[in-house]
Amino acid sequence: MLENPRSPRVRAVAKLTKRSARQETGLFLLEGPQAAREALAYRPDTLVEIFATPTAMERHVDVRDAARDAGLEVVFTTEDVLDAMADTVTPQGIVAVARQSPTSLRDVFAASPRLVAICEEVRDPGNLGTIIRAADAAGADAVVLTGRTVDPYNPKVVRATTGSLFHLPVAVGVDLASAVEKAHAAGVRVIAADVGGGDFLASRELLAEPTAWLFGNEARGLDETALALADMSLRLPIYGAAESLNLATAASVCLYETAFAQRAAR
């Protein structure tokens, strides 16, 4: 059992809360039974280590069994050690280390996708995690993140995806112009979500065709260069008195509306 919160092994895991350590090692941190459960179910090949308190393993027997089936030994720790490793105040007794496994932009569009989310300069970890989760729930084929978007392996992003990070391809560090070019070559229309765009309802029928939604920064939206790359821009209507919609909420609506249209057209 690991008992020393200051041991080199514990410190190495704790460093993964920092982007510099994630970039240097190619690893990232998972916290809690849900994240470990999803990684074991969908991408066990990416898992390097699993740490847990004995109490947590008694409570989450399915995680223990899945780890055993994947050939991974669970390393037992004290509560103090687990707290030292984790980014959260209450890590729920389980922490894991996994290899980053981004998908290439080429592979995303070589698969003839029908629904893709492209994020340009999305800076809030909670928003990005929620967009990845919504894309997964809506049956999107992939999520593409430009180089100006927050690191998807940030612990806050990983938590916000609730495991969806392991369910669909995610391309990272992409140049926006290259993403749009690849989309067009694959026959995918790029639609920018923008408050200055056209009427969403009037263009709804277009969503039945292969679509890549382009989402921008929480505060500034998309700049003129980004908007010019898109085939068109659409805005969601506001029927009440709200000034606007949160980015992740708006993205969820756009992705689900597209999913509805595409399934209705089948």
Side-chain angles (χ1 to χ4, degrees):
M1 178 179 287
L2 286 178
E3 298 180 338
N4 183 1
R6 296 180 179 82
S7 71
R9 191 174 186 184
V10 174
R11 287 183 175 181
V13 175
K15 283 181 180 179
L16 296 176
T17 60
K18 306 295 183 185
R19 183 165 190 168
S20 57
R22 295 194 298 272
Q23 290 177 327
E24 181 180 340
T25 62
L27 303 174
F28 70 106
L29 195 65
L30 303 175
E31 298 181 44
Q34 180 62 19
R37 190 176 290 118
E38 296 301 309
L40 284 164
Y42 289 90
R43 292 301 308 272
D45 56 302
T46 65
L47 286 168
V48 177
E49 293 180 298
I50 299 178
F51 302 91
T53 63
T55 302
M57 277 296 93
E58 290 175 8
R59 189 181 304 120
H60 303 288
V61 176
D62 62 323
V63 175
R64 181 199 65 195
D65 292 345
R68 182 186 299 139
D69 292 343
L72 287 164
E73 179 184 358
V74 176
V75 179
F76 286 115
T77 76
T78 62
E79 295 283 356
D80 287 345
V81 164
L82 205 80
D83 289 345
M85 289 177 172
D87 180 59
T88 56
V89 177
T90 54
Q92 298 178 278
I94 299 175
V95 164
V97 174
R99 297 182 190 88
Q100 298 174 27
S101 55
T103 302
S104 72
L105 182 65
R106 176 185 301 174
D107 287 347
V108 165
F109 288 104
S112 301
R114 293 191 58 80
L115 179 56
V116 176
I118 302 175
C119 296
E120 160 70 351
E121 203 183 356
V122 175
R123 303 304 302 165
D124 181 83
N127 276 336
L128 179 59
T130 302
I131 291 171
I132 293 172
R133 182 179 180 181
D136 177 24
D141 298 292
V143 177
V144 174
L145 312 179
T146 70
R148 301 204 296 170
T149 291
V150 65
D151 177 15
Y153 300 108
N154 177 308
K156 293 182 177 64
V157 177
V158 176
R159 287 198 298 275
T161 71
T162 64
S164 287
L165 184 64
F166 300 105
H167 298 170
L168 77 173
V170 178
V172 304
V174 172
D175 173 69
L176 179 57
S178 296
V180 173
E181 180 183 356
K182 293 288 187 186
H184 287 161
V188 179
R189 178 184 287 111
V190 179
I191 303 177
D194 183 70
V195 293
D199 184 0
F200 185 94
L201 297 180
S203 302
R204 222 171 174 183
E205 71 280 358
L206 297 177
L207 301 181
E209 300 171 13
T211 301
W213 278 100
L214 175 57
F215 305 113
N217 181 264
E218 292 85 351
R220 299 182 298 279
L222 293 160
D223 61 26
E224 292 302 321
T225 301
L227 288 171
L229 290 171
D231 297 296
M232 62 189 302
S233 300
L234 295 178
R235 70 178 186 281
L236 288 175
I238 300 291
Y239 297 118
E243 183 270 333
S244 64
L245 283 172
N246 163 271
L247 172 63
T249 303
S252 299
V253 173
C254 293
L255 291 166
Y256 257 96
E257 281 283 351
T258 309
F260 293 152
Q262 293 181 351
R263 278 158 178 72
R266 287 179 180 175

